[in-house]
Amino acid sequence: MKTIGLIGGMSWESSLEYYRLINEGVKAKLGGLHSARCLLNSVDFAEIEPLQRLDQWEEAGEQMVAAARQLEKGGADFLLLCTNTMHKVADAVQHGVSIPLLHIADATAHAVKARSLANVGLLGTRFTMEEDFYRGRLSSRHGLDVLIPEEEDRRTVHRIIYEELCVGKIVDHSRQEYGRIMDRLAQRGAEAIILGCTEITLLVSQSDCSVPVFDTTWIHAEAAVEHALSGKLG
């Protein structure tokens, strides 16, 4: 079994889900008392969030590279960034280490295409929804057509992530708002919805949406389990 290196803490609420899902996945496949070989480097999100907000991505990337190198030195065989948004600096992280990074957008795209779907709606932070590092990868590398919410709805999705989900607040009204936004994407032609923020799964699930939902936290964790046990990325 390969050792999984997890860069977490962004936020720790979803990193906790990664740890649970990865260990449950290994146990499901191997049985008995088996659990995952993994290392977690959990950063302080209070230091990362201002860098995101102030568009200081190079400095944020340096912190991610430092965390990745610590995991590599500790014996990790491959890496996961336990966050969609920080994949904005995924290339810097990959270039900073000699072990592979399992990219969350690639794992998600493979899951979508396995269902023979091509038109998807994307929820996430404003960075993930609006910038090219994530949407562009889904489109250019995997041929998916990606819809995002309208501007006011994007602000709502982003605010709920940072003001509620990242601090462990689960609010029924926010769940209803996400349901409304997902339904509007489906009405515009989305065949499925990508929950492109690892915290969103704490709030909504398939029961809140009329079209298939792809939970990137679960997908990424499952891909990590497969790679840890088979040695194959993708």
Side-chain angles (χ1 to χ4, degrees):
M1 187 192 309
K2 291 184 177 293
T3 299
I4 306 168
L6 304 167
I7 304 175
M10 300 164 285
S11 67
W12 71 263
E13 302 282 347
S14 61
S15 300
L16 178 65
E17 288 298 295
Y18 267 90
Y19 185 76
R20 179 180 65 81
L21 290 167
I22 287 170
N23 279 287
E24 286 180 350
V26 168
K27 182 178 180 180
K29 291 183 178 297
L30 300 183
L33 297 175
H34 283 288
S35 56
R37 292 185 180 275
C38 60
L39 301 172
L40 172 62
N41 191 334
S42 188
V43 303
D44 183 358
F45 193 39
E47 297 176 358
I48 302 299
E49 185 276 332
L51 301 178
Q52 297 177 339
R53 179 164 29 89
L54 298 173
D55 204 30
Q56 296 176 354
W57 292 99
E58 184 175 355
E59 185 175 344
E62 290 171 355
Q63 293 203 34
M64 295 300 100
V65 170
R69 286 173 174 165
Q70 289 174 343
L71 290 168
E72 183 175 27
K73 290 179 181 178
D77 294 303
F78 67 100
L79 297 172
L80 270 67
L81 274 168
C82 300
T83 157
N84 286 270
T85 297
M86 292 307 293
H87 277 73
K88 183 174 172 70
V89 299
D91 287 345
V93 172
Q94 183 61 89
H95 293 153
V97 294
S98 61
I99 57 176
L101 172 72
L102 200 164
H103 200 291
I104 195 169
D106 294 341
T108 300
H110 294 155
V112 171
K113 293 170 73 175
R115 297 275 296 273
S116 299
L117 300 172
N119 301 302
V120 295
L122 175 64
L123 301 186
T125 67
R126 64 179 177 86
F127 314 108
T128 300
M129 291 186 289
E130 296 174 1
E131 298 185 25
D132 194 54
F133 72 92
Y134 199 95
R135 291 171 58 196
R137 193 178 185 101
L138 293 174
S139 299
S140 64
R141 293 202 177 201
H142 302 285
L144 298 180
D145 292 321
V146 183
L147 294 173
I148 61 172
E150 296 175 359
E151 184 176 358
E152 183 176 349
D153 286 343
R154 294 200 301 271
R155 288 197 295 267
T156 297
V157 171
H158 182 88
R159 178 190 61 78
I160 289 170
I161 290 169
Y162 281 88
E163 295 182 8
E164 297 177 13
L165 302 181
C166 285
V167 294
K169 291 175 62 177
I170 306 300
V171 179
D172 283 340
H173 177 69
S174 297
R175 181 180 294 109
Q176 294 167 7
E177 282 290 277
Y178 269 48
R180 176 186 63 79
I181 292 167
M182 290 190 291
D183 284 344
R184 291 186 70 175
L185 287 169
Q187 291 166 9
R188 289 169 52 198
E191 301 171 294
I193 305 295
I194 292 175
L195 305 183
C197 171
T198 54
E199 280 77 31
I200 295 179
T201 186
L202 303 173
L203 181 66
V204 297
S205 64
Q206 184 61 67
S207 63
D208 299 298
C209 188
S210 59
V211 297
V213 166
F214 287 85
D215 173 2
T216 55
T217 307
W218 183 87
I219 291 167
H220 206 197
E222 282 294 295
V225 171
E226 290 293 333
H227 184 55
L229 298 182
S230 72
K232 297 178 182 179
L233 278 173

